[in-house]
Amino acid sequence: MSILTNKCIVLGVSGSIAAYKSPDIVRRLQDLGAEVRVILTQGGAKFITELSLQATSKNKVQNNLWDKEAELSMGHIELAKWADALLIAPASANTIANLAAGKACDLLSSVILASDCPTLIAPAMNQQMYTSNSVQDNLATLVQRGIQIIDPENGVQACGDIGEGRLAESDEIAKQVGLMFQSTKMSGKKVLITLGATIEAIDPVRYLSNHSSGKMGMALADACIEAGAQVTLILGDVSTSISKPSKQIFVTSAEQMYRSVMENINDQTIFIACAAVSDYSVKNPKNHKIKKSDKTLTIELVPTKDILKDVCQLPQKPICIGFAAETQNLLENANNKLKNKGCDAIILNDVSCTDLGFKSDENEVVFIDQKSSIKLAKNSKQKLGRKIIEIISEKFL
Ligand code: PMT
């Protein structure tokens, strides 16, 4: 039995030159055991014929929302209900924009709206279009709604340009669809993640904090959710959108984050401490705004409790993964944190540059445990998040 045996896949083919590869995608899905029905958009039909897709899928190709015969039985609803997964490959910039805007302007976008099954899209377009803010914003919106993106490849394009935007290989696309149905080591596992910055009040209007946006933690949460885990988020101050299928607890100070983690840690399999927690809080925060004066002002700070360290010392401790945000002696400091906090692994990131670490969309990390260290080169936080969760699964589950 193959991974897609008895699985019904609706393949949407939209207007990109890469549509000529869609019969091969049908074949690769069938190789994994799937039954495939194809929706061909008007744009897609400019690049591939209905007949080729009908011959390979062995099913009538649907292309018209206003097909009187099909719509007698509410064709778009019927297709949406039939599908165990929806795949759009290639997904053109226009189709991606329609999905992000929630449009129901053709059969494909209507089926997507009418369906609650897992959806994957494989973008394919010119590299300049792919990297444009509009397309990237639309893709980010779709990711937030739980749609999985099969990243395009980098290389020579049909138009002669070189860059990212070439449709992923058919084998890879079929494999990604298969993986959605495969239970991973993370399936059903409970994961608690802290993220964002804590805020320590000085007085009612001023505070101590840091630059954490929560993006790295949220990317890890997305990767856990994708892999089937049940995620609880303990969020400090964040400036990123929040993964929906998760339990969310909002806190402000390091002390509140500490209490919240301890209240929720009991039945967790994995604890990931990605939050940038203040190491100090103000000893006596004032109840009223401190008045300006010409004299030097001294604020007394006291150390906060170390959440990660204390979780690592629990008798029934979960798998504990910490982060080390460093600006100098990177490896030495990270290794000291691994040892002193007693965690299973520590993820080192350099927070001295502006294009990595805090706030940025990209990061570069070293995954360090007792036995080895793995360098993960500069990449989007989303991709690094997936890779980190893969490593945690392989090493500790
Ligand atoms: O949020 P982004 O803008 O995407 O940026 C991501 C990030 C840079 C914040 C993230 O990748 C990161 O490095 N997070 C950890 C930041 C930090 O506080 O590092 P640290 O080296 O000071 O702390 C070491 C570890 O102990 C961390 O796992 C931290 O969560 C934990 N800690 C620290 C202090 C404390 N009182 N309790 C803790 O649990």
Side-chain angles (χ1 to χ4, degrees):
M1 194 158 125
S2 300
I3 193 159
L4 290 177
T5 302
N6 298 329
K7 293 287 182 277
C8 301
I9 311 296
V10 167
L11 170 66
V13 177
S14 65
S16 153
I17 175 68
Y20 81 89
K21 296 180 181 168
S22 52
D24 193 41
I25 298 172
V26 173
R27 283 265 159 79
R28 301 292 77 83
L29 290 167
Q30 289 167 336
D31 289 347
L32 297 181
E35 173 153 12
V36 184
R37 283 162 74 173
V38 178
I39 299 175
L40 184 61
T41 68
Q42 260 187 12
K46 304 271 183 216
F47 297 99
I48 184 79
T49 67
E50 203 178 315
L51 207 58
S52 313
L53 287 162
Q54 184 171 299
T56 41
S57 70
K58 301 185 178 61
N59 278 310
K60 182 175 167 9
V61 171
Q62 317 264 4
N63 53 14
N64 186 0
L65 180 59
W66 309 110
D67 182 329
K68 282 191 216 140
E69 223 177 278
E71 286 304 309
L72 261 181
S73 55
M74 301 294 277
H76 64 290
I77 305 289
E78 192 260 325
L79 257 181
K81 286 193 175 148
W82 177 84
D84 292 311
L86 301 170
L87 165 68
I88 307 182
S92 66
N94 183 51
T95 294
I96 290 168
N98 284 340
L99 300 190
K103 287 195 171 183
C105 51
D106 59 7
L107 182 63
L108 181 58
S109 51
S110 304
V111 168
I112 299 277
L113 278 184
S115 162
D116 62 357
C117 70
T119 303
L120 302 93
I121 67 168
M125 66 199 74
N126 165 268
Q127 52 88 23
Q128 194 69 47
M129 290 169 78
Y130 179 68
T131 50
S132 68
N133 289 341
S134 309
V135 169
Q136 290 304 314
D137 286 354
N138 287 336
L139 287 172
T141 303
L142 297 181
V143 168
Q144 278 159 30
R145 291 189 199 144
I147 290 181
Q148 190 180 320
I149 314 294
I150 303 174
D151 293 323
E153 291 183 354
N154 211 314
V156 182
Q157 302 197 294
C159 56
D161 278 12
I162 298 174
E164 216 176 347
R166 250 174 41 171
L167 183 67
E169 291 300 327
S170 307
D171 280 346
E172 178 60 25
I173 293 174
K175 187 179 111 192
Q176 297 277 337
V177 177
L179 281 177
M180 292 219 340
F181 293 98
Q182 195 176 44
S183 68
T184 68
K185 286 184 182 174
M186 290 290 284
S187 298
K189 297 283 185 301
K190 290 189 156 192
V191 184
L192 182 73
I193 304 177
T194 63
L195 64 157
T198 57
I199 289 182
E200 309 303 322
I202 296 172
D203 68 14
V205 293
R206 304 174 180 102
Y207 58 82
L208 294 176
S209 190
N210 59 68
H211 298 293
S212 174
S213 61
K215 287 180 187 171
M216 189 67 243
M218 208 61 79
L220 289 162
D222 286 339
C224 289
I225 292 164
E226 247 174 60
Q230 291 175 45
V231 175
T232 300
L233 299 175
I234 300 190
L235 306 109
D237 189 34
V238 295
S239 48
T240 181
S241 42
I242 297 166
S243 315
K244 292 235 165 56
S246 57
K247 180 176 168 191
Q248 295 146 22
I249 303 164
F250 292 88
V251 297
T252 306
S253 65
E255 175 59 28
Q256 286 173 3
M257 186 171 275
Y258 183 93
R259 268 189 270 128
S260 200
V261 168
M262 292 306 170
E263 278 162 18
N264 287 279
I265 200 71
N266 258 346
D267 51 353
Q268 301 293 331
T269 309
I270 303 175
F271 173 53
I272 306 180
C274 189
V277 187
S278 179
D279 290 322
Y280 296 93
S281 63
V282 177
K283 187 169 183 192
N284 292 309
K286 302 287 177 245
N287 292 330
H288 299 287
K289 186 179 172 194
I290 299 169
K291 288 288 164 217
K292 186 180 168 200
S293 90
D294 294 336
K295 292 192 194 127
T296 305
L297 176 70
T298 304
I299 297 170
E300 198 177 346
L301 301 179
V302 288
T304 55
K305 289 185 230 160
D306 193 318
I307 307 171
L308 178 59
K309 192 169 180 180
D310 284 3
V311 171
C312 290
Q313 282 168 7
L314 292 174
Q316 306 279 318
K317 88 167 201 25
I319 296 157
C320 290
I321 313 292
F323 269 78
E326 303 297 339
T327 57
Q328 56 184 354
N329 305 328
L330 309 182
L331 279 169
E332 188 188 329
N333 287 342
N335 275 302
N336 283 340
K337 277 182 187 160
L338 175 71
K339 203 164 109 205
N340 297 339
K341 293 189 187 246
C343 42
D344 297 284
I346 198 119
I347 299 165
L348 162 67
N349 49 188
D350 182 348
V351 289
S352 62
C353 353
T354 50
D355 59 336
L356 292 173
F358 285 125
K359 277 188 183 161
S360 62
D361 291 331
E362 295 189 314
N363 208 356
E364 183 179 272
V365 304
V366 187
F367 188 101
I368 307 170
D369 65 4
Q370 306 292 349
K371 294 189 193 132
S372 62
S373 63
I374 304 170
K375 183 164 185 209
L376 302 179
K378 185 173 173 181
N379 212 327
S380 69
K381 286 183 175 168
Q382 291 294 330
K383 284 190 190 156
L384 286 176
R386 283 199 195 112
K387 192 68 208 157
I388 289 169
I389 297 306
E390 247 175 70
I391 296 175
I392 295 174
S393 303
E394 276 163 26
K395 282 187 176 279
F396 301 111
L397 293 179

